[in-house]
Amino acid sequence: MARINLSGMGVALITPFKEDESIDFEALSRLIEHLIQNGTDYLVVLGTTAETPTLTEEEKAAIKSFVVERVKGRIPLVLGLGGNNTRGIVEHLKHDDFTGYDAILSVVPYYNKPSQEGIYQHYSTIAQASRLPVILYNVPGRTGVNMSAETTLRLAKEYPNIVAIKEASGNITQMDDIIKNKPADFMVISGDDGITFPLLTLGAVGVISVIGNAFPKEFSKMVRLALNGDFKNALPIHHRFTELFSLLFVDGNPAGVKCLLNAMGYIENKLRLPLVPTRITTYEKIRAVLQSLHYIP
């Protein structure tokens, strides 16, 4: 099985919608090109930030193939493929076409609240069924359960095709434990823009970013500087976006980044229920920060 280099800045790609809530493929095409031309190392397609739970199977298939066609092999692609029905994921792994994709990102099962042994067995089953490298995704704020460092390390050591984890627990001690005790070729990726810089100083290999949708050039530069040990020049870039890190999530994801992209003129500020756009006050605060950073007049 081919390895995938996940060092640097991956971007969790949004799904732009038109006012009638249909997918805005023109805006998506422009965004993909903008990301590739401005330092994005790889794209994560159909993750949480893409509002995947509100997309039909037909829409997901259309986005999946559309991205492959637009990227044309210029950067690696990771496909979001997770859920709380292990057998259902295995059926997708057996029968879906993964042409153009280099790995899958699979989230800890949500809502079911499995035990650590249940999480282990879930990923063990996925690893045995997958033809592509598997990236674990721990985000307890969304799933309702945390995958412990012990479970992550158990999976990393037992399954060579489980190559990385996107860690969004917010628990620096847990992440450091994984970095300290992982196999040499297992990669720890930040799943939270706001703590990417400190994680890179501890040994993370990069980030799967939300803010990177809007600032691929700047945020990828920060990541590369930090990976090269140039923390002195990376830190000011991190601090440049500190206020936006919190504003992007105050009304939920991807409402914040869609508000940001709309204010910058990239997309319509449209989400699908049950998600709604940010509050007017949040939008105004985001515009004010963009103005102070000289991204908009």
Side-chain angles (χ1 to χ4, degrees), residues 40-285:
T40 302
D41 292 295
Y42 60 96
L43 292 176
V44 176
V45 182
L46 297 178
T48 306
T49 304
E51 297 175 69
T52 310
T54 69
L55 299 172
T56 67
E57 290 300 318
E58 291 77 16
E59 287 173 328
K60 286 188 277 190
I63 291 171
K64 181 180 163 188
S65 60
F66 182 86
V67 175
V68 171
E69 291 168 6
R70 292 302 182 275
V71 171
K72 293 182 170 61
R74 288 177 287 172
I75 58 174
L77 295 176
V78 174
L79 184 69
L81 184 60
N84 56 359
N85 176 359
T86 310
R87 291 181 67 178
I89 297 170
V90 169
E91 286 302 304
H92 280 293
L93 289 169
K94 286 181 178 178
H95 302 298
D96 287 5
D97 180 8
F98 295 100
T99 302
Y101 287 87
D102 301 276
I104 64 165
L105 174 72
S106 200
V107 70
V108 169
Y110 42 82
Y111 193 76
N112 298 0
K113 300 187 81 170
S115 66
Q116 293 302 309
E117 182 62 24
I119 295 170
Y120 168 81
Q121 294 289 350
H122 172 81
Y123 280 121
S124 172
T125 303
I126 288 172
Q128 292 174 64
S130 181
R131 293 162 277 164
L132 292 176
V134 177
I135 304 166
L136 311 173
Y137 181 17
N138 186 39
V139 56
R142 286 188 176 272
T143 63
V145 62
N146 176 59
M147 179 164 61
S148 68
E150 181 182 12
T151 301
T152 299
L153 292 166
R154 182 183 176 192
L155 289 163
K157 291 172 182 177
E158 291 185 17
Y159 293 97
N161 64 329
I162 295 180
V163 299
I165 182 168
K166 177 184 177 183
E167 244 291 355
S169 65
N171 186 334
I172 295 282
T173 302
Q174 174 171 295
M175 299 177 199
D176 192 37
D177 188 6
I178 297 168
I179 292 168
K180 178 182 176 181
N181 296 297
K182 69 181 182 62
D185 58 353
F186 183 79
M187 296 168 280
V188 177
I189 304 163
S190 172
D192 183 340
D193 289 323
I195 60 172
T196 295
F197 177 80
L199 278 182
L200 292 171
T201 69
L202 292 172
V205 301
V207 60
I208 294 176
S209 175
V210 174
I211 202 171
N213 279 280
F215 301 109
K217 186 176 183 179
E218 298 88 338
F219 207 59
S220 66
K221 181 180 180 181
M222 186 278 289
V223 172
R224 289 192 183 95
L225 286 169
L227 287 174
N228 288 327
D230 189 354
F231 303 125
K232 179 181 178 180
N233 286 308
L235 185 57
I237 303 175
H238 163 76
H239 282 153
R240 183 177 177 85
F241 296 111
T242 302
E243 193 171 356
L244 282 177
F245 290 147
S246 58
L247 282 173
L248 287 192
F249 292 91
V250 70
D251 290 331
N253 182 47
V257 72
K258 282 196 162 182
C259 165
L260 180 60
L261 287 165
N262 175 258
M264 296 173 75
Y266 287 110
I267 65 168
E268 298 290 340
N269 192 20
K270 194 70 180 176
L271 294 91
R272 283 184 179 175
L273 290 171
L275 300 182
V276 295
T278 61
R279 291 166 291 175
I280 297 293
T281 52
T282 304
Y283 192 100
E284 289 173 347
K285 288 177 183 177

